[in-house]
Amino acid sequence: MTGGSTKPDDRHAALPPARLGVQTQTHALIGAYVFGMRDATLMTVGAVAGMLPDLPMFVIVATLSAMGHDGQEIFGHDYFQPWWQQINGVAHSLILWPLALVAALVARRAGPPARWPAILLAATAAGLAHACIDFLCHREDAHMQLWPISSWKFISPVSYYDPAHFGGAMMVLEAGLGLLMAWRLFRIARRRWSRGLIGLVSLPYLASLVMLSATVARAEGGGDTGSVALGRFAMGTSGWSVVAIDKKVPMTRYKLVRKDGVVAIAAHADRSQALFVRDVDAALDQTPILCWRWRVEGVVERADIRTKKGDDQAARIFVGLSLPRESLSLGTRMKLSLGRARFGKLLPDGALNYVWDNKAPVGTIVPNAYTDRARMFVLQSGNGRAGKWVTERRDLLADMQSQFGTKAGRIMLIALATDTDNTGSMAEAGYADLHLVRPGASCRFQA
C-alpha cells in the first residue's frame, strides 16, 4: 500500500444507519403533493411511487439484519457490493424512469379517456422525482444513475447527511419542505386516518430540527473549545469514508464495534488494503496535539517498512497535510498538480504516518517506500502490547516542521489504515477517540 499518496479507484461512504438517504417519507410527500393533483387516488399513487425506488433497499436491509449483519456492516460494506449497486441502479435509473414517464404520456394522449393513464403518469413522475433528488444529494453513496447504459455515478458536492458537505443545511431544508407539504396535505385530506398518517410522517422532521438545535447549542455554548473531535466513534461515523486503493485488491473491512468497553472502528485485513478516511480542514496553531487509542491483535510478521513489497502495517494513522506553496519546490508542485488531475484533494502536499510496525525500533522515522512526501513514524513495534488498548499523543505541528520545514500547514484529511496486500498476510486492529487538543492539555478519552 502506498503510504503517502492515496490512489482511489472507488470511494465508499460510511453511511449512518439511521439515514438511508433523503428521508423516504419526503419522497412520498413530494409524490402525493406535487403529482396527486388534489385527487385522493392520485395522491395515494404518488406517495407509494415516491417511495418505490427505496423499496429494494428496505427489503435488503431487513434480510441482512435477519442474517445477523449489524448496521455498520450493512451500510459500510454490503451496500457497496456490486449486486446491491446494480439493484440501486435499476431502482434509481435516470434512463428507465424517463422512459416509463414517456410511455405514460403517450398512453394518456393516444388512448380514449381512461383512469389508468393518469395513474401511470402520477406513478412514473413521482418515481422520477425521487431519482432526480437522489442524484443531487448523494456523494460516495451515489447510485448508477445511467443504468443500464453506464455504471457512472455523479458524486454530488452536496450530501444529505454529511456536515462537511452541507448536511446540516440539507437537514433543515428537508425538514422545512417536509413540514410544509405535510401541512398542505393535512388541510386537503378529509379522512381521519389520512390526517393521522400525515401527522405521523411529520414527526421525523421535528426530531431532526430538535437534534440539530441541540448540536448547535453544544457547539456554541457547552462545547469544548480546547478539543477538536475527529473520530469520536461513540457518536457515529458521519463524515468518514472507505477508500479502496486498487479495485483488483480486496478491501480491508472497517466496522463499528465495542471492544473491551471502547467504541471503536475495527479493521480486518486479509491480503487487502483500504483507507478509512475523513476530510478535515484544521489549522495546527491552537490544537496541534493528536490523541488516539489503538490496538492490534498481532503485527504483520513479513512486513518491512523500508520496501514496497513489505509496506504493510497492522495499524496506521495517516494525516494528510496542506502545506504553504512556498515550502514546496517547483518540481514537487508540478508532480502534485499532475497527480491531482487524477486523484484530486486525496493527494496531499505531505503526509505524516504513525505506524504500529513489526520490527523497526520505536522512534524510527523514514520516508515511505513509495514517496518521500510521506514520512513514517514508528510509535509501537512488535507484539509486546498486542491485544491491549494503547493510548498515543503526537505533536503534529512539531512533526510537520521537522519533516517539511514549515509550521503554517493545515490538516486536510485523516485516515486509518490496516493493510496486508503486499505481504499476503492477515491483520486485525482497532482505532478509537481521535481528537486534537492544545499543547499541555490532557488527552480526553471516553470512559
Side-chain angles (χ1 to χ4, degrees):
M1 182 173 188
T2 59
S5 59
T6 60
K7 299 184 177 182
D9 290 309
D10 199 7
R11 188 171 180 175
H12 297 163
L15 305 181
R19 289 180 63 84
L20 303 180
V22 169
Q23 296 186 50
T24 300
Q25 74 268 20
T26 304
H27 294 298
L29 289 171
I30 291 173
Y33 181 71
V34 178
F35 306 109
M37 304 177 67
R38 292 179 173 268
D39 180 296
T41 299
L42 296 184
M43 289 171 62
T44 301
V45 169
V48 173
M51 297 185 291
L52 193 59
D54 280 346
L55 180 60
M57 178 152 45
F58 287 118
V59 174
I60 293 170
V61 170
T63 302
L64 293 176
S65 297
M67 295 170 59
H69 294 224
D70 61 27
Q72 185 66 22
E73 183 177 10
I74 291 172
F75 294 110
H77 179 264
D78 298 330
Y79 178 88
F80 298 100
Q81 297 309 299
W83 59 270
W84 195 338
Q85 292 296 295
Q86 289 286 343
I87 292 172
N88 278 345
V90 175
H92 295 80
S93 173
L94 294 178
I95 302 296
L96 300 182
W97 280 111
L99 288 176
L101 180 62
V102 169
L105 289 170
V106 170
R108 186 177 185 183
R109 292 177 61 89
R115 185 65 166 163
W116 70 265
I119 293 175
L120 182 60
L121 183 60
T124 54
L128 177 59
H130 182 139
C132 289
I133 292 169
D134 279 5
F135 177 84
L136 296 174
C137 59
H138 280 244
R139 287 182 52 76
E140 294 82 5
D141 55 327
H143 311 303
M144 294 185 290
Q145 296 96 349
L146 299 183
W147 191 96
I149 295 176
S150 171
S151 60
W152 174 81
K153 299 178 180 180
F154 172 61
I155 308 301
S156 174
V158 176
S159 168
Y160 59 88
Y161 76 94
D162 185 355
H165 297 282
F166 312 103
M170 281 294 295
M171 183 184 295
V172 173
L173 177 63
E174 182 183 357
L177 179 62
L179 289 171
L180 175 62
M181 290 187 298
W183 170 243
R184 297 296 295 272
L185 288 170
F186 185 86
R187 296 183 63 185
I188 294 171
R190 293 291 180 263
R191 298 181 178 180
R192 289 184 178 180
W193 69 265
S194 298
R195 289 190 166 190
L197 182 60
I198 292 169
L200 185 63
V201 301
S202 301
L203 294 179
Y205 302 125
L206 298 174
S208 295
L209 292 176
V210 169
M211 288 189 296
L212 185 62
S213 298
T215 300
V216 172
R218 285 196 301 269
E220 293 181 350
D224 181 6
T225 57
S227 177
V228 178
L230 299 176
R232 295 286 195 188
F233 297 120
M235 303 299 293
T237 59
S238 178
W240 288 83
S241 304
V242 178
V243 177
I245 307 301
D246 186 344
K247 287 184 178 180
K248 297 179 181 178
V249 176
M251 289 176 56
T252 296
R253 298 181 64 176
Y254 297 92
K255 62 185 296 185
L256 193 64
V257 300
R258 181 180 292 274
K259 187 75 170 179
D260 293 342
V262 177
V263 178
I265 293 297
H268 175 78
D270 184 359
R271 294 163 291 182
S272 61
Q273 60 174 322
L275 300 175
F276 194 56
V277 181
R278 71 163 293 172
D279 296 334
V280 179
D281 182 15
L284 294 172
D285 53 345
Q286 297 297 316
T287 52
I289 310 300
L290 177 62
C291 303
W292 74 94
R293 286 192 277 190
W294 59 356
R295 62 182 287 158
V296 301
E297 302 309 315
V299 299
V300 180
E301 296 291 350
R302 298 197 297 274
D304 185 344
I305 198 172
R306 301 177 189 274
T307 69
K308 292 181 179 181
K309 290 184 178 180
D311 185 30
D312 285 340
Q313 291 88 36
R316 174 161 61 109
I317 302 291
F318 168 64
V319 180
L321 303 172
S322 174
L323 303 175
R325 181 180 176 83
E326 59 271 17
S327 70
L328 305 174
S329 68
L330 177 61
T332 297
R333 293 200 300 269
M334 291 178 64
K335 290 179 181 178
L336 290 172
S337 296
L338 290 173
R340 291 196 182 111
R342 181 178 179 187
F343 304 121
K345 66 180 180 180
L346 290 178
L347 184 64
D349 295 334
L352 306 173
N353 291 270
Y354 302 108
V355 304
W356 191 316
D357 199 53
N358 60 330
K359 60 184 178 182
V362 172
T364 298
I365 303 174
V366 295
N368 178 258
Y370 287 86
T371 171
D372 63 0
R373 299 308 303 169
R375 308 299 162 82
M376 314 294 283
F377 295 76
V378 178
L379 303 192
Q380 300 292 329
S381 187
N383 286 320
R385 307 183 76 180
K388 302 176 182 178
W389 284 108
V390 177
T391 62
E392 301 286 2
R393 177 187 178 95
R394 197 72 195 185
D395 189 332
L396 300 182
L397 191 62
D399 288 342
M400 179 174 63
Q401 184 178 24
S402 69
Q403 299 304 309
F404 299 108
T406 181
K407 297 179 71 174
R410 300 176 66 89
I411 302 178
M412 61 179 294
L413 63 86
I414 190 164
L416 319 177
T418 295
D419 61 284
T420 59
D421 60 309
N422 291 319
T423 57
S425 306
M426 297 179 64
E428 294 184 7
Y431 306 85
D433 292 328
L434 287 85
H435 60 287
L436 299 169
V437 299
R438 296 178 182 274
S442 300
C443 294
R444 301 171 186 183
F445 297 111
Q446 300 294 315

